[in-house]
Amino acid sequence: MSIVNDDGKFPCLTPDYILAFQFSNWYPSFTRVSPKSTIIRPLGEDFKHYLESDSIFVPEGSEDVVVESTLSDNDTDDEREDMATAAKHFSFPELDERIRSVIREYKAVFPKLNFSSPKDASWVLPASSPLKCTSPADVYLLLKSSDFITHDFSIEYVFDGCRGDNLPVYELELVLRKWYPVDHSREVRCFVRNDVLLGITQRDTNFYGFMIDPEIQKAIRSTVCNLWEEVVRPNWSYLQKDYVFDLLLTRDLSGGHVIDFNPYAPHTDPLLFTYEELQEVLSKAVQDASARRPFLPELRVNESPTHSVATQSMPAYQHNRVPIEALTLSEGRNLAEFGEIWQEEVTRALRLLS
């Protein structure tokens, strides 16, 4: 039922192991130390078909504000009819109301699916509050514009690397997490193999000057070790003790919140580590345990703004594809002109739905 990595860098991948990292499976054990979240399921095949359909549009009725129609003279009848027909083909009134109910409780939300979040689509919403959704239309627009979430659409992608014909039932779920501004310099990713905390790395690989302070690094390592020993380790319920978890540390670095869990697998980004290096750290941990020497996880931070991983001046996920509509609109325009015309196109699309 599983593939064993010959060099031992990774654990056996089974469907049950992968499903342990589905949001609805790990979140109940960590509600006390994780941002407030609401899980909506099942979503139904029609919602999946909407996400997989061509073009970017929001379903009919998902906008909270009705916009008066002021169609441009440049819009042809065929263009208006095609866009309106595509949108009206999909309508989710019950889901719209559930999303609105959560937004009323949380004020604003950030969506994700079972495993993946649409961080690569932050460009479709205002840059002043990235990924902040205040209406069902915002949620749909963010999900529809993302490449990342397509991983969650099919069993083949979800259970990639798992051998076996009898794969478990898998249904899409929509997760709405309470939105709040995040200081990405305080996000860390932590690696656990064979129930040993091996390494800690910046989640955002930009250069942050305060991170090279030895006292800051000591505080980060101490806090992460305490959180793992007191919160993560005792509440991780799956028998296989191999996982990657993300934390958002508090401003004073004395505590933190559990943000996400990922499989200890090749598709999980090791960031400032490689999995070969983590395997070497595991070997050292085993040697230290045999010699009864204390072992501390290795901490990796970006120590120079010229480091190859430093991307402070580059847009996040710039390597990801953008919709063909965006590529078409960008031809012959500078960045400012493209931004203006893109916003006009989004507004025009919403007007066609009113």
Side-chain angles (χ1 to χ4, degrees):
M1 279 296 296
S2 65
I3 294 177
V4 179
N5 194 293
D6 291 337
D7 56 17
K9 290 198 302 288
F10 302 103
C12 300
L13 299 184
T14 66
D16 285 345
Y17 173 69
I18 297 299
L19 285 178
F21 299 92
Q22 183 172 248
F23 188 87
S24 58
N25 285 338
W26 68 259
Y27 178 70
S29 299
F30 293 91
T31 53
R32 184 175 59 86
V33 292
S34 190
K36 290 183 179 179
S37 303
T38 297
I39 303 166
I40 300 175
R41 62 177 182 179
L43 293 176
E45 284 297 310
D46 54 344
F47 186 75
K48 179 184 175 184
H49 293 158
Y50 161 69
L51 293 178
E52 292 177 325
S53 63
D54 293 334
S55 192
I56 296 177
F57 59 92
V58 296
E60 183 181 19
S62 60
E63 268 296 299
D64 285 342
V65 179
V66 178
V67 183
E68 292 185 8
S69 179
T70 56
L71 299 179
S72 167
D73 293 337
N74 295 326
D75 297 329
T76 67
D77 291 339
D78 288 342
E79 286 175 336
R80 291 195 293 268
E81 183 177 351
D82 289 346
M83 188 172 294
T85 300
K88 290 180 180 179
H89 183 67
F90 295 99
S91 179
F92 311 108
E94 293 183 4
L95 180 58
D96 291 346
E97 186 48 43
R98 294 190 69 181
I99 294 173
R100 289 188 179 101
S101 176
V102 177
I103 290 174
R104 284 193 293 269
E105 179 182 355
Y106 294 164
K107 308 305 180 187
V109 299
F110 166 56
K112 64 172 294 180
L113 298 183
N114 308 47
F115 300 94
S116 308
S117 61
K119 290 182 178 181
D120 59 320
S122 61
W123 56 275
V124 304
L125 294 178
S128 59
S129 51
L131 306 174
K132 180 181 181 180
C133 297
T134 57
S135 72
D138 289 345
V139 171
Y140 299 142
L141 186 62
L142 200 57
L143 294 174
K144 197 77 169 68
S145 304
S146 172
D147 285 336
F148 284 7
I149 66 163
T150 59
H151 164 273
D152 295 11
F153 289 173
S154 71
I155 289 179
E156 289 73 20
Y157 282 127
V158 170
F159 299 114
D160 183 34
C162 299
R163 183 178 298 154
D165 297 326
N166 299 319
L167 296 176
V169 175
Y170 171 77
E171 293 182 325
L172 277 184
E173 60 190 33
L174 175 63
V175 179
L176 300 176
R177 312 203 74 180
K178 184 173 182 177
W179 183 91
Y180 52 90
V182 172
D183 179 356
H184 296 294
S185 70
R186 292 187 279 111
E187 291 181 301
V188 293
R189 170 160 288 186
C190 313
F191 302 86
V192 175
R193 184 79 164 95
N194 293 347
D195 203 28
V196 178
L197 177 59
L198 300 178
I200 307 162
T201 176
Q202 289 176 237
R203 182 69 182 84
D204 177 356
T205 56
N206 287 324
F207 172 72
Y208 296 100
F210 75 93
M211 294 285 281
I212 62 176
D213 184 333
E215 291 301 313
I216 293 293
Q217 294 184 14
K218 180 180 178 180
I220 291 173
R221 184 185 280 109
S222 175
T223 295
V224 170
C225 288
N226 288 339
L227 286 170
W228 180 65
E229 287 284 2
E230 298 173 8
V231 177
V232 176
R233 192 182 195 184
N235 286 289
W236 179 253
S237 57
Y238 192 71
L239 292 177
Q240 195 164 324
K241 308 302 182 183
D242 306 290
Y243 51 88
V244 179
F245 65 98
D246 295 337
L247 298 174
L248 174 63
L249 302 180
T250 55
R251 287 185 177 85
D252 62 1
L253 304 180
S254 66
H257 304 279
V258 175
I259 301 300
D260 205 0
F261 282 90
N262 288 284
Y264 197 104
H267 64 262
T268 298
D269 193 343
L271 299 171
L272 296 179
F273 286 100
T274 66
Y275 282 107
E276 289 77 12
E277 291 170 336
L278 289 168
Q279 184 70 6
E280 292 175 2
V281 176
L282 177 60
S283 297
K284 180 180 183 302
V286 172
Q287 293 171 6
D288 287 350
S290 298
R292 297 186 177 181
R293 293 190 299 263
F295 170 79
L296 288 175
E298 185 171 334
L299 174 65
R300 293 276 178 95
V301 301
N302 182 0
E303 298 183 343
S304 169
T306 61
H307 193 287
S308 59
V309 300
T311 57
Q312 199 160 27
S313 60
M314 303 177 189
Y317 311 116
Q318 65 167 357
H319 56 285
N320 274 66
R321 294 171 294 170
V322 297
I324 187 65
E325 294 91 336
L327 293 176
T328 302
L329 290 172
S330 67
E331 290 183 3
R333 297 182 172 94
N334 61 33
L335 187 60
E337 291 170 341
F338 167 69
E340 182 177 349
I341 196 69
W342 176 256
Q343 289 301 323
E344 290 176 358
E345 286 297 309
V346 171
T347 302
R348 182 174 70 87
L350 295 177
R351 284 171 177 163
L352 288 176
L353 302 181
S354 61

